[in-house]
Amino acid sequence: AQSVTQLGSHVSVSEGALVLLRCNYSSSVPPYLFWYVQYPNQGLQLLLKYTTGATLVKGINGFEAEFKKSETSFHLTKPSAHMSDAAEYFCAVSDTGSARQLTFGSGTQLTVLP
Amino acid sequence: DSGVTQTPKHLITATGQRVTLRCSPRSGDLSVYWYQQSLDQGLQFLIQYYNGEERAKGNILERFSAQQFPDLHSELNLSSLELGDSALYFCASSERGSSYNSPLHFGNGTRLTVT
């Protein structure tokens, strides 16, 4: 079974600072990895995804993530945080069964300080 | 706007009752997924339907059931409700049945409060 661990349930950064949200996965087969963002009172929105190919994945709103197989990680970064980035971020992995569904991490709440 | 519509937005009911949550997927999406989000359990996959047929089951209780209708909308039925069922229930849809190559689009959820 696939699993995802997000390190740090709460992360605070200053506006303009680097954002780094950590995600480690467990998988016995090549995983498909995703980052989703959830703004207050809204559903989840896809930020970016890794399936195959280039290990550095660029997403929306200036976010990117790098798939590192040797570290079983898929950390999310953004060079300069903006106030509008404050939200909850979820890392997710899909399984490789015939019916695919996402397994989500527990989420990281990002706070951006002025 | 993801294009996924969930109704109602809020639902307050008593223990032992039964409720139905409704989801209309994005136009053209054949697959519907139901997730439960609670503080203690996080975001848990419940069940997936593809073009009217059940495709995958996750951590769905026997008291819960779902179906997808010919017009592709889906309903999640929760019965014999308990306090612990209070949560945010999300519906998501995707174009095809495999989530890795067909990203999920989430609705804004139905917040269920059981008193």
Side-chain angles (χ1 to χ4, degrees):
Chain A
Q2 311 274 336
S3 67
V4 170
T5 302
Q6 290 185 240
L7 301 176
S9 58
H10 291 84
V11 170
S12 293
V13 299
S14 298
E15 191 173 18
L18 171 72
V19 175
L20 171 60
L21 305 182
R22 300 178 186 275
C23 171
N24 288 89
Y25 67 91
S26 171
S27 172
S28 58
V29 297
Y32 302 101
L33 296 160
F34 305 79
W35 275 99
Y36 279 83
V37 60
Q38 185 180 25
Y39 297 102
N41 301 314
Q42 293 187 27
L44 281 72
Q45 179 184 359
L46 180 66
L47 272 179
L48 49 82
K49 65 176 180 178
Y50 169 79
T51 54
T52 58
T55 56
L56 182 62
V57 181
K58 294 187 185 298
I60 62 172
N61 301 336
F63 284 93
E64 62 183 34
E66 186 172 10
F67 170 62
K68 291 187 177 180
K69 184 178 178 181
S70 61
E71 299 178 7
T72 62
S73 70
F74 190 58
H75 302 332
L76 182 70
T77 60
K78 182 174 180 178
S80 176
H82 192 272
M83 297 297 288
S84 61
D85 294 327
E88 187 152 24
Y89 293 79
F90 292 90
C91 182
V93 60
S94 75
D95 66 21
T96 57
S98 58
R100 301 170 192 249
Q101 68 267 12
L102 293 174
T103 299
F104 286 88
S106 55
T108 297
Q109 182 68 47
L110 175 66
T111 300
V112 182
L113 305 171
Chain B
D1 182 9
S2 68
V4 178
T5 303
Q6 289 187 249
T7 57
K9 290 184 179 180
H10 301 276
L11 201 49
I12 301 174
T13 189
T15 54
Q17 295 299 304
R18 173 190 169 94
V19 297
T20 298
L21 313 183
R22 182 187 170 100
C23 169
S24 294
R26 284 192 330 158
S27 177
D29 284 359
L30 299 178
S31 203
V32 169
Y33 306 72
W34 287 97
Y35 284 84
Q36 178 194 59
Q37 186 179 37
S38 61
L39 285 176
D40 54 345
Q41 297 285 337
L43 200 59
Q44 298 276 325
F45 167 72
L46 296 178
I47 197 165
Q48 176 199 2
Y49 279 82
Y50 178 75
N51 205 21
E53 294 189 2
E54 183 182 303
R55 177 62 67 95
K57 254 184 177 178
N59 300 322
I60 189 166
L61 300 172
E62 286 191 11
R63 299 183 285 110
F64 296 0
S65 65
Q67 54 184 327
Q68 186 179 29
F69 295 87
D71 67 353
L72 300 178
H73 90 272
S74 177
E75 293 181 354
L76 178 67
N77 300 297
L78 316 176
S79 61
S80 303
L81 285 168
E82 302 174 359
L83 295 178
D85 297 328
S86 296
L88 194 54
Y89 291 85
F90 284 109
C91 170
S93 71
S94 68
E95 185 179 336
R96 295 184 288 272
S98 298
S99 62
Y100 79 92
N101 59 1
S102 182
L104 300 186
H105 300 271
F106 282 80
N108 287 345
T110 292
R111 183 168 295 281
L112 174 65
T113 303
V114 182
T115 62

